[in-house]
Each structure stands twice: as structure tokens, then as C-alpha cells.
Amino acid sequence: MAGLVWTYVWTFVGFGFIIVSLSEMASMAPTSGGQYHWVSEFASPRYQKFLSYITGWMSVLAWQAGAASGSFLTGTIIQGLISVRNPDYDPKRWQGTLFVFAMILIIYFFNVYAASWMPRIQNALLALHTICWVVVIVVLWAMAPRQSAKAVFTEFSLYGGWNNVGLALMIGQISAIYGSLSSDATAHMSEEVRDAGRYVPMAICGGYFSNGILALVLIITLMFAMPSVKDALDDPTGFPFIYVFKQAVSTAGVNGLTAIILIPVVFSNILFNASTARQTYAFARDRGLPFSNWISKVNQHYKLPVNAIALSCIISGLLS
């Protein structure tokens, strides 16, 4: 438990310096290309073309993998919910993959046919996100069993079979890093944001630091509410947070708490894909990808890079 808390703390602080730097570059050169464009702008002329090309490929691949992971997370959480309602359910991997495909279809529909709703969806999602956070925090502090502060902040355990705590912390830090990713998503929407040089950096910094603090409170709350790390890891749902909910509330309560986490995740997948498609579109527009003409084509009816959106959905499906 202490490992999860402290790896998150130093990851949050370390990423914070990166976020401030990215925000500064976004204010000077707001573009859907993001990092690879900034490398081209600000790197030494001698190396800028090569470094920009490498950065572009890394960014495209990273965003595509991230988009697939979000859909995959949604599918497996749904399977976890089914396991809670029906303890005899044996979750099959192919069933999880079908849930992923369903999520991908929803993503494509919203990003192409409901794109004009996005500002309203984002405003509603901000309110829902905040309300859900408050509900989960209050329920766990009021109803869950309580660990000691010593266990939460000072006890490090080796459950992964690694040789020492330091190595286990470094590998386990992936969880903290995953929770801090995509904070630059707004940068890739810059060409669709009014006064982007001002508002994109504000969105990047505001989103990262506010969510980072909320996440720290949530992590500490979960650790205090977790009676046994081993039992949490062995929970049949595959999700330790669902195990924590089961210690605090009834089956109906678990379904409700998990649903209010699942709904924001579903919508965040839709918005994640939007940024992924813009990153891919921008790099193709600069002739960085194969079939660049097709990928970078803007649909004149929807005024959107529909081909890049479709390609991102296809890649998510193939990776899944």
C-alpha cells in the first residue's frame, strides 16, 4: 500500500514539471501535432528533422496504444460487474474482447456523428466526474473497514516475486504513470479551440493538477479501505477497487459505485480517441505516415478527419 501511495506522489510531482513545460510550448505553438511539432520548432536545426520524425512516430504509437487500453479497461470492468452480480460467471477473454468492440463502435459514433455534442458532453462529464469522486470518497470513509496509517504510509510488501522493494516500486510505478498519462490531450485539439495559445495551456495545467490532487485523495482513501492487499489482488473480478467496494457496501452498492466509475471512463475513451485521431491526422498531414493522403483527408460534410478517427478505431480493435 505504501508503495502505491509514494510512487504516485513522486510520479505526480515529476510529471508536473513536464506538464508545465508542455503547457509553455503549447502557448507558443498550438497545433494538433503537439510534441513532434514542438521538437521541430525548438530543437537544434541540425537534428530537428530526425528528432521530430522519431517523436512523431512515438507519439502516434503511444496514443494509439493508449486508446486501445481505455477500451480494453471498459470491457473488463463490465465483466467485473457481471462477476459481482453472478458469482458463477466465468469471464472469458473473448467475451471481454467483444465488449471492447462494442466500446469502439460507440467511440466511432460519437466522434463522427455526435461531434457537435462534444462541448456539452465535456461540461456534463466534468460535473459527473466531480460528483462521482465525492460519492466514492464519502462512502468509503463512512462505511469501509479502516487500515492503520502506519500500514498505508510505511509498510512495503513484495507480492510480485521481485528480489527487492526498490525494484518492485520501480515496476509498480507503471500504475502511477498510467494514471498521469494523456494530460496533454487538449494540445492535440488545439486547431479546434478558440484562442488556443491561451486556453490550451490553461486546460493542460488545470486538468493535470486538479485531477492529480483528487487522485491522491482517492488512492489514500482506497488504501485505508483495503483490509487485505492479497485478497484484493486475488479478487475474482480482477479489479482490487471492486474488492474494496465489496467490503463496504452491498452488491447493489458495488454495482452503483462501479457504474459511476465506468460511465466517466466510457466518455473519457470517446474523448481520448478524439485526441488520438488528431495526433495521427496531424502527423499524416506532415507526411510522416504511410498512406498520408488518405489518413489526413478531412471530410467536407462533417469537417472532421473521419479517416483518422476510423483508423484509430480499427487499430484499437486489432490491438484488442
Side-chain angles (χ1 to χ4, degrees):
M1 288 186 285
L4 183 59
V5 171
W6 293 114
T7 54
Y8 177 78
V9 169
W10 68 59
T11 299
F12 172 60
V13 173
F15 260 79
F17 290 104
I18 298 172
I19 290 299
V20 170
S21 177
L22 293 179
S23 299
E24 183 178 10
M25 287 185 280
S27 69
M28 292 187 286
T31 170
S32 296
Q35 285 88 329
Y36 85 83
H37 182 86
W38 301 331
V39 170
S40 178
E41 289 275 346
F42 305 126
S44 166
R46 182 178 178 183
Y47 302 110
Q48 62 185 188
K49 184 177 290 187
F50 171 75
L51 292 177
S52 178
Y53 183 69
I54 296 298
T55 304
W57 268 102
M58 289 178 65
S59 296
V60 168
L61 294 175
W63 274 94
Q64 293 292 349
S69 75
S71 297
F72 191 82
L73 183 63
T74 305
T76 48
I77 289 178
I78 293 172
Q79 284 189 299
L81 268 176
I82 296 172
S83 297
V84 172
R85 291 183 61 86
N86 180 13
D88 296 327
Y89 171 62
D90 180 23
K92 301 287 193 248
R93 293 184 178 184
W94 64 267
Q95 294 169 341
T97 304
L98 291 180
F99 283 126
V100 175
F101 290 164
M103 180 71 248
I104 292 170
L105 289 174
I106 293 170
I107 287 171
Y108 182 80
F109 172 82
F110 272 91
N111 273 312
V112 175
Y113 302 110
S116 61
W117 303 352
M118 284 301 185
R120 296 186 186 92
I121 290 172
Q122 289 177 323
N123 289 337
L125 185 60
L126 175 61
L128 181 66
H129 177 54
T130 308
I131 293 168
C132 292
W133 180 86
V134 171
V135 170
V136 171
I137 295 294
V138 170
V139 168
L140 291 182
W141 279 111
M143 303 181 69
R146 199 70 53 82
Q147 275 281 5
S148 67
K150 179 181 178 182
V152 171
F153 294 110
T154 67
E155 291 184 5
F156 297 85
S157 304
L158 287 171
Y159 290 106
W162 304 104
N163 293 329
N164 58 73
V165 171
L167 179 61
L169 284 175
M170 291 172 66
I171 294 169
Q173 191 175 349
I174 292 172
S175 297
I177 292 171
Y178 185 81
S180 303
L181 294 178
S182 75
S183 304
D184 61 318
T186 319
H188 303 296
M189 305 296 292
S190 293
E191 294 168 31
E192 298 166 58
V193 176
R194 185 179 300 163
D195 198 2
R198 178 184 181 188
Y199 290 113
V200 167
M202 290 171 61
I204 293 173
C205 283
Y208 179 79
F209 290 107
S210 61
N211 277 293
I213 294 168
L214 296 181
L216 180 59
V217 174
L218 181 60
I219 289 170
I220 292 173
T221 300
L222 282 171
M223 295 303 97
F224 270 103
M226 186 178 290
S228 167
V229 174
K230 189 176 187 308
D231 290 346
L233 293 172
D234 294 337
D235 191 78
T237 65
F239 287 95
F241 78 85
I242 296 181
Y243 162 82
V244 171
F245 291 164
K246 288 194 290 187
Q247 309 311 304
V249 295
S250 65
T251 299
V254 173
N255 289 333
L257 289 176
T258 305
I260 65 174
I261 289 176
L262 180 62
I263 293 169
V265 171
V266 168
F267 281 105
S268 70
N269 288 343
I270 294 168
L271 302 172
F272 197 108
N273 180 274
S275 292
T276 301
R278 270 52 169 198
Q279 165 73 70
T280 305
Y281 152 78
F283 197 46
R285 181 179 59 187
D286 287 335
R287 302 291 182 266
L289 295 173
F291 311 108
S292 288
N293 288 335
W294 181 82
I295 297 171
S296 62
K297 185 177 180 181
V298 176
N299 184 288
Q300 293 305 307
H301 177 69
Y302 295 108
K303 300 295 189 289
L304 293 168
V306 172
N307 292 351
I309 294 170
L311 177 64
S312 299
C313 289
I314 291 170
I315 291 173
S316 290
L318 292 174
L319 288 175
S320 299

